[in-house]
Amino acid sequence: MTLTAERKRQEAQADFNNDLGQCPARQLLEAISSKWVTLVMLALADGQLRHSELRRVIPGASQKMLTSTLRSLERDGLVSRLVTASVPVRTDYELTPLGHSLLGVVYRMKDWAEANMDDVSHARMEHDRRHLASTR
Amino acid sequence: MTLTAERKRQEAQADFNNDLGQCPARQLLEAISSKWVTLVMLALADGQLRHSELRRVIPGASQKMLTSTLRSLERDGLVSRLVTASVPVRTDYELTPLGHSLLGVVYRMKDWAEANMDDVSHARMEHDRRHLASTR
DNA sequence: CTGTATCCTCTAAGATACTG
DNA sequence: CAGTATCTTAGAGGATACAG
């Protein structure tokens, strides 16, 4: 029966997916591709900000997403959290050196995007135009 | 009533999310953060490959995901598709010049990741250890 | 061989409400 | 002010079957 081959294939896929998770580049990609991480990092590029200031600077972020984004950045050692035990509590966030170095990579992506997204947009329009024409 | 303020806030969020979609850097991030795009681009770095060859080189990809990834890359002008009308059909994929230039950016991310993911992993372990300790 | 169509699952992200 | 807890939803990704 073909079950054996099928089984092998599925195991190979599982292994591969596992390897993928180990790949440093993929881990990085997953870390920064979350919708808000780059925005938070950019916001913190010039210095530390409070939780409420971040919300003001990034109007689109719900406080839930902001918090969870900050937590994951903190966990990865990219952002540090400074709590001042007063009433009311004050917490500031700032980029760590590691965070700043990642910021460099983010800027490079930004540069490529700004230099080339016109070409991409154009390609998309061309592609969509052709696809639309074929269905007419 | 507070509805007016609430309404304004929600509109602000909608506008912001809209702006986000316009941002070139974010478009790029969304384009390459899909699970398979970088793998496909890396696979095509050395030259053109057939659909079936790509499946072999990237064992984890279902043919559905491979096809849809290739379609989106093609739409963005990063990959070109060469169909040879024979029996059976033969189709090859290769990176466009634009695709190659993006590959450069991907390599930079890869370099950062390989240089710094140890620090990130370490930060994660430290963070998790502390968090675990607090729940004990 | 190369692809399309369908169905299904799982999770990221958002809305809302509540606590120290 | 800062943060947590719960519910809901939209979409990405996967399994499978079929078609040119």
Side-chain angles (χ1 to χ4, degrees):
Chain A
M1 56 182 176
T2 60
L3 263 191
T4 315
E6 186 62 11
R7 178 80 183 286
K8 271 192 185 176
R9 189 183 128 261
Q10 304 224 344
E11 277 174 17
Q13 290 203 357
D15 288 351
F16 186 80
N17 283 325
N18 206 17
D19 291 350
L20 256 192
Q22 306 305 315
C23 169
R26 177 124 297 270
Q27 284 185 26
L28 170 63
L29 207 47
E30 280 174 4
I32 67 173
S33 64
S34 155
K35 193 171 179 182
W36 305 106
V37 305
T38 50
L39 291 170
V40 170
M41 291 187 58
L42 256 25
L44 294 177
D46 299 328
Q48 63 181 44
L49 288 177
R50 306 181 55 172
H51 183 108
S52 51
E53 289 171 329
L54 279 170
R55 277 205 81 185
R56 193 161 32 73
V57 174
I58 313 175
S62 68
Q63 113 271 47
K64 175 195 172 181
M65 285 321 292
L66 184 54
T67 299
S68 81
T69 305
L70 286 167
R71 287 290 171 282
S72 93
L73 288 173
E74 196 192 349
R75 186 169 105 98
D76 290 349
L78 300 170
V79 159
S80 59
R81 183 157 162 265
L82 316 162
V83 181
T84 309
S86 57
V87 180
V89 186
R90 174 197 181 98
T91 66
D92 292 80
Y93 294 91
E94 69 178 350
L95 287 181
T96 63
L98 193 59
H100 270 109
S101 85
L102 179 53
L103 196 57
V105 177
V106 172
Y107 279 133
R108 292 202 179 267
M109 293 184 43
K110 186 164 162 277
D111 290 343
W112 187 94
E114 285 172 355
N116 298 96
M117 283 312 278
D118 278 356
D119 287 357
V120 171
S121 299
H122 184 260
R124 279 183 187 167
M125 282 170 48
E126 270 298 296
H127 184 271
D128 292 350
R129 191 179 57 72
R130 273 198 293 270
H131 186 269
L132 240 61
S134 69
T135 45
R136 260 188 250 139
Chain B
M1 57 182 175
T2 60
L3 263 189
T4 317
E6 187 60 11
R7 178 80 183 288
K8 269 192 185 173
R9 189 184 127 261
Q10 303 224 346
E11 276 173 15
Q13 289 203 358
D15 287 352
F16 186 81
N17 282 325
N18 206 17
D19 290 351
L20 257 191
Q22 306 304 316
C23 170
R26 179 124 295 273
Q27 284 185 27
L28 170 64
L29 207 47
E30 280 172 5
I32 66 172
S33 64
S34 156
K35 194 171 178 182
W36 306 107
V37 304
T38 49
L39 291 169
V40 169
M41 291 187 58
L42 257 25
L44 294 177
D46 299 328
Q48 62 181 45
L49 288 177
R50 304 182 56 173
H51 182 106
S52 51
E53 289 170 329
L54 279 171
R55 278 205 80 184
R56 194 160 32 73
V57 174
I58 313 177
S62 67
Q63 115 269 49
K64 175 195 172 181
M65 284 321 293
L66 184 54
T67 299
S68 81
T69 303
L70 287 166
R71 287 290 171 281
S72 93
L73 288 173
E74 196 192 351
R75 184 171 107 97
D76 290 348
L78 300 170
V79 159
S80 59
R81 183 158 163 264
L82 316 162
V83 181
T84 309
S86 57
V87 180
V89 186
R90 174 197 179 99
T91 66
D92 291 81
Y93 294 91
E94 69 178 351
L95 288 181
T96 62
L98 192 61
H100 271 109
S101 85
L102 179 53
L103 195 57
V105 178
V106 173
Y107 279 133
R108 290 200 179 269
M109 292 184 42
K110 184 163 163 278
D111 290 343
W112 187 94
E114 285 171 354
N116 299 95
M117 283 313 278
D118 278 356
D119 287 356
V120 171
S121 299
H122 184 260
R124 279 184 187 168
M125 282 170 49
E126 271 297 297
H127 184 271
D128 292 351
R129 191 180 56 72
R130 272 198 294 269
H131 187 271
L132 239 62
S134 69
T135 46
R136 259 189 250 136

